[in-house]
Amino acid sequence: NKGKDQKVRVELRNLESISNGLIIVVPSSTPNMDDELYYEKQVSKHGYATAIVYGAEPRYQKKFTGSYTSSMILYDAVATIDEVSKQFTKPKEVILIGSSTGTLAIFKAGWQDLRNKYPAINLIKKAIGNDSYIKERPGSKIRQHSLLNIRKK
């Protein structure tokens, strides 16, 4: 599924650690990135490069509309992996972190049909979702990914 191209801001940090892996922090359902910045700050100390994807900025209209979806969030993560691999080096592994609608994108990263269509998704080895949605979907198609429910303290 190809929509119109949309430029999305991605902040890359700790690029000297890209060979260890890449942690991608995906947005939730709004352009407010306070939680995502907090998550990135917490994980930035673990020897991985990090990427904060500001995908909601150019698309968001209001909550609970189709203006910004979990599919868009996942496509932005895929584009981030592809671009980092092209401009720097292919990371050994990718970890996704998200909350709210970003958690839904994490679930979609486990869907085999999307893994077949977008090979970059196969670099995603772990994921952390901060949402009760994780607990409510035991029959999800997610495969062998570590999902941890974290809470901001």
Side-chain angles (χ1 to χ4, degrees), residues 51-64:
I52 305 170
V53 179
Y54 288 83
E57 269 181 346
R59 300 180 180 116
Y60 178 81
Q61 293 170 7
K62 66 180 188 173
K63 275 185 96 93
F64 310 116

Side-chain angles (χ1 to χ4, degrees), residues 63-102:
K63 275 185 96 93
F64 310 116
T65 69
S67 66
Y68 191 55
T69 67
S70 59
S71 293
M72 292 175 190
I73 293 170
L74 181 58
Y75 298 144
D76 290 346
V78 168
T80 299
I81 295 167
D82 287 341
E83 198 61 30
V84 165
S85 297
K86 186 169 65 175
Q87 288 191 28
F88 303 101
T89 189
K90 184 174 166 180
K92 182 171 73 172
E93 70 174 348
V94 174
I95 300 170
L96 288 183
I97 297 179
S99 63
S100 185
T101 307

Side-chain angles (χ1 to χ4, degrees), residues 9 13 16 43 52 87 103-104 106 113 131 137 141:
R9 178 168 61 115
R13 298 179 181 164
E16 67 280 359
V43 300
I52 305 170
Q87 288 191 28
T103 301
L104 297 177
I106 288 171
D113 57 334
D131 203 315
R137 294 288 186 192
K141 294 181 183 180

